[in-house]
Amino acid sequence: MSSITRRKVLGVAAGAAGAAAGLALAGSAVAAPLSAGPAAAAAPAEFDEVYLGRRIKGGPSHGGGHHGGHHGGGYSVTIDGEELHVMQNADGTWISVINHYEPAATPKAIARAAVRELQGAPLVPLTLA
């Protein structure tokens, strides 16, 4: 005859249910911060300055074009009047066509990094086919 009793079966079932509930709560606690994403963050600050002899500007995009509306969340960055195509990553960092593999925390930081990378060379317009 088996030594399994109703009390043991109910005890195991209650423990499994408690563990499943704990995992569900832990999963929702982990998922909540991830779902907030960059959309919950404040819009990047506008800037207009001369950095290493180059005029860099950034602010909300008004054109609504491909890069004005889709990439960068409607944020435009220029270096000496030429558009620096920027994009905001899912984690809230920013990249540009110049610094695609070196994300920065803000559009201003990515503009400064692009100026350093250009080393005085002009930013040529990016032609999208």
Side-chain angles (χ1 to χ4, degrees), residues 54 79 82-85 97-98 118 121-127:
R54 311 291 290 270
I79 298 176
E82 293 293 336
E83 183 180 7
L84 173 66
H85 293 262
V97 295
I98 306 258
L118 285 168
L123 179 64
V124 288
L126 178 65
T127 305

Side-chain angles (χ1 to χ4, degrees), residues 17-59:
L23 288 174
L25 286 174
S28 65
V30 169
L34 295 176
S35 64
E46 292 185 39
F47 62 93
D48 182 353
E49 70 177 27
V50 175
Y51 179 74
L52 297 178
R54 311 291 290 270
R55 164 109 19 222
I56 59 173
K57 291 183 178 184

